[in-house]
Structures are given as C-alpha cells and as structure tokens.
Amino acid sequence: SATRFAELYLPDGVHETGPNAGQKGLVYYEGQSDVQKMAKAFGEANGEITFRINPTTANEKSSELMHVSDGPWGGPSVAVEYVVAYTVKKDKKRYMATGAAFIQIQNGKIRRTRLYAPREEIMEIFP
C-alpha cells in the first residue's frame, strides 16, 4: 500500500523523480506524507505494477547487481538498474521502462531516493 511504502522513508525523507508531462526539472516529494500521496496517485492511475532489478549477463551467467557503498550520513547508499511494468487503468495499455535508482539509507529507513526513468525509453508492451 502507499502507506506502507511511505513508512520505508524517514519522516523527512525525500523521493525525487524526473518531470511529469508538462513539467520541467526534478519533482521532489518531501516527507512521508508527500511520498504517500505520490505512491497513491501512481497506484490509482496504474495497475499490475511490477518492479524488478534488471539482470546483468556476462560469460553465460546472470546476476541482479546492487552497488553498495557507505554514505557520509552514516548509512549505505545503494544503486540498482531496474525495470518497471504497469498498465494504465484508463486506456488499458501496458508499458515497460528501464531506469536507475539511487537510495540512501539511514537508521534503517530511506533518507533519499532518486529515480531516473527517461520518458523516451518507455515502451508499450503488446500481448
């Protein structure tokens, strides 16, 4: 649920995304309330939402890579390449996009997330 998603964040945590249609620049969702509103709006507009780490393959082996390092805030920083798929409820069209997520964790909660998912890489999935 949107509430449980927002609870993953610190009370003053930040979730950043690229612009929505008709916007320019980054979009900031500050605090659990804003994060919850963002997640709820996405869930209301879309269904069958799935996220997965995009596997990397080399030498006939695949792995879901997570790049982890220590951040100066006293917690880890995690970076992953992900794939999201969703169905727009109003027109029943299904889409897939790849992106990158950079997540900073402090005291077991998210302090900042930055998602990159270029609009030009969103593709419609046909059955």
Side-chain angles (χ1 to χ4, degrees):
S1 76
T3 301
R4 288 179 43 197
F5 178 75
E7 290 171 350
L8 296 172
Y9 284 76
L10 289 169
D12 61 348
V14 176
H15 185 97
E16 301 174 42
T17 66
N20 296 321
Q23 287 181 307
K24 292 183 180 182
L26 293 176
V27 180
Y28 293 89
Y29 302 95
E30 297 183 43
Q32 290 178 340
S33 178
D34 278 0
V35 171
Q36 181 178 355
K37 288 177 192 172
M38 177 268 312
K40 184 178 179 186
F42 188 77
E44 288 174 348
N46 304 289
E48 301 174 87
I49 303 164
T50 62
F51 280 87
R52 67 175 168 82
I53 296 174
N54 199 18
T56 299
T57 303
N59 300 319
E60 299 181 20
K61 296 177 185 172
S62 293
S63 181
E64 294 176 344
L65 299 178
M66 290 195 301
H67 307 276
V68 181
S69 64
D70 291 325
W73 52 85
S77 177
V78 180
V80 297
E81 183 180 359
Y82 68 88
V83 175
V84 59
Y86 56 92
T87 301
V88 177
K89 289 180 179 177
K90 75 176 183 180
D91 63 12
K92 306 292 187 227
K93 291 183 180 180
R94 186 143 178 87
Y95 295 93
M96 184 176 81
T98 58
F102 301 91
I103 304 164
Q104 300 173 356
I105 301 169
Q106 184 178 35
N107 299 327
K109 298 272 188 178
I110 298 170
R111 73 182 294 274
R112 179 179 176 267
T113 296
R114 173 63 171 109
L115 296 183
Y116 291 95
R119 288 195 166 282
E120 56 274 5
E121 292 186 19
I122 297 172
M123 61 187 105
E124 187 174 354
I125 302 170
F126 299 98

